[in-house]
Amino acid sequence: MTTRSLAATAGRRPGKVAALGLLLPGSVVILWQLLSHYGMISEMLFPSPLTIAQSFITLSASGDLWDNFSISAGRVFAGFLLGGGLGLFLGLLTGLFRRSERLLDPSLQMIRMVPSLAVVPLFILWFGIGEESKILLIAKGAFFPLYINTFMGIRGVDNKLFEVARVLGFSRLKQVLRLVLPAALPNIILGVRLSLGLSWLGLVVAELIASTSGIGYMMSDARQFADTPVVFVGIMVFAVAGLASDSIIRLGEQRLLRWQDQYQG
C-alpha cells in the first residue's frame, strides 16, 4: 500500500470510528421509539425519544436549559479546578518525597473512604446551601482520582532513569521536569479524565440535594410534577457534557503522548 493510500485510510478512520460508536445508541433509540409508538412501554414513565426531543426544543427555546446548564458547568469546573488542582499538587508532593507520603497519605486515604453522601449534611451545616457546599462536594470527588494517579505515575517511573539522571548530574528540579513528569504523564492524564468525570457525578448529587438552579435542580423540579421528559433531557445533557469534556481531554492526551508507541487494537 502506498503512502498516499495509507494517509487516505487514516483520514477516513475518525468517521468510521464515529459511525461505529453511534451504531449501538442509534439502534437503542430506534427500538425505544418503536416500542413507545406501539404502546409497549409506558409513555409517562418512559417517554418516547420524540417526546424528549420536543421537551429539549421547548427548554432550549425558552432559555431555561442553557441558563441552568451554564450554572452547572461553572460549578463543575470550579470544583474540578479546586479538587483536581489540590489532588495534583499533593500527588506530586507525596510521590516525590517519602516523608510527605508518610505524613499525608494515611490521612488522605481515610478521607477517601468517607462516602460523599455522608459529608453532605456536614457541608450544609458548615457552608449552608449556597455555592460553597456544592463546589466543595464536587471538589471532594475530583480530588482523589488525580491524587492517586499522580502518585502512582511518579512511583511507577523506572528507577534506572533516576540513576541515569544522577550520572548526568541533573538537579532535583531538572529530574522532576525532564524525567518524572513526562514519565508520569499518562497516569496524570488518566487521573484528569477520571477526576472530571467524577466532578459531573458530584454535581448531580450536589444539585439534587439542595439547589435552586442548575440541571440537577431542573430535574428535581420536574420530578415533583411528574414531568418525565424533562428528567430525561437533564440526564442526556449530563451524558453529552461529560462525554464532550472527556473527548477534549483525550484529544489533548493524543497530542501530549504522541511519542508513545501504543497498541491501537
Side-chain angles (χ1 to χ4, degrees), residues 146 184-194 249 252-253 256-257:
L146 205 39
L185 197 56
N187 282 75
I188 294 174
I189 293 176
L190 174 62
V192 171
R193 290 181 62 190
L194 295 173
I249 295 173
E253 179 185 23
L256 289 170
L257 301 181

Side-chain angles (χ1 to χ4, degrees), residues 5 16 38 47 81 116 230 237:
S5 59
K16 288 183 178 178
Y38 289 107
L81 289 176
S116 294
V230 174
V237 167

Side-chain angles (χ1 to χ4, degrees), residues 183-244:
L185 197 56
N187 282 75
I188 294 174
I189 293 176
L190 174 62
V192 171
R193 290 181 62 190
L194 295 173
S195 178
L196 192 54
L198 283 176
S199 297
W200 284 106
L201 295 178
L203 172 76
V204 178
V205 175
E207 290 188 341
L208 285 177
I209 289 173
S211 183
T212 56
S213 60
I215 296 294
Y217 166 73
M218 185 185 77
M219 294 168 63
S220 179
D221 191 50
R223 177 185 57 80
Q224 294 180 18
F225 296 99
D227 196 353
T228 318
V230 174
V231 177
F232 273 91
V233 169
I235 291 171
M236 291 180 181
V237 167
F238 279 131
V240 172
L243 178 64

Side-chain angles (χ1 to χ4, degrees), residues 44-93:
M44 181 180 174
L45 297 178
F46 225 82
S48 69
L50 284 179
T51 306
I52 296 170
Q54 287 170 355
S55 292
F56 176 81
I57 292 169
T58 303
L59 288 168
S60 299
S62 67
D64 290 344
L65 181 63
W66 306 118
D67 290 343
N68 285 310
F69 178 73
S70 61
I71 293 169
S72 294
R75 288 170 179 156
V76 165
F77 288 111
F80 169 71
L81 289 176
L82 177 63
L86 197 59
L88 178 63
F89 173 72
L90 291 179
L92 290 171
L93 195 65

Side-chain angles (χ1 to χ4, degrees), residues 133-145:
S133 57
K134 298 179 186 60
I135 290 173
L136 286 173
L137 195 61
I138 296 167
K140 180 184 179 301
F143 174 84
F144 289 102

Side-chain angles (χ1 to χ4, degrees), residues 2 4 10 14 27 37-38 44 46 56 104 115 118 170 181 188 200 203 206 214-215 241 250-252:
T2 63
R4 182 174 295 179
S27 303
H37 179 73
Y38 289 107
M44 181 180 174
F46 225 82
F56 176 81
L104 297 172
F170 280 16
L181 289 181
I188 294 174
W200 284 106
L203 172 76
I215 296 294
R250 290 192 68 180
L251 285 175

